[in-house]
Amino acid sequence: MHIAGVVDWEFTYAAPTEFSYAPPWWLLIEKPEDWPKGLDDWTRSFDVV
């Protein structure tokens, strides 16, 4: 019996492709709704369409 490798499935999930272009909410310092200059400014800053 030899262990060839270990797979860690902790952060593995299936999601739509669009999710790879949007920053995760937990990486943002502030929620988009609380952005000082408004949601439109947040959208321009992060290039979210």
Side-chain angles (χ1 to χ4, degrees), residues 17-32:
T17 306
E18 292 83 14
F19 282 19
S20 62
Y21 297 110
W25 65 268
W26 45 268
L27 279 180
L28 300 174
I29 295 173
E30 296 178 283
K31 294 188 291 186

Side-chain angles (χ1 to χ4, degrees), residues 1-7:
M1 288 187 48
H2 284 79
I3 297 175
V6 177
V7 177

Side-chain angles (χ1 to χ4, degrees), residues 7-49:
V7 177
D8 182 5
W9 295 99
E10 183 176 0
F11 295 109
T12 305
Y13 70 99
T17 306
E18 292 83 14
F19 282 19
S20 62
Y21 297 110
W25 65 268
W26 45 268
L27 279 180
L28 300 174
I29 295 173
E30 296 178 283
K31 294 188 291 186
E33 297 85 19
D34 298 335
W35 196 262
K37 295 181 183 177
L39 185 58
D40 291 332
D41 184 58
W42 183 90
T43 304
R44 278 191 298 278
S45 298
F46 285 99
D47 293 324
V48 179
V49 177

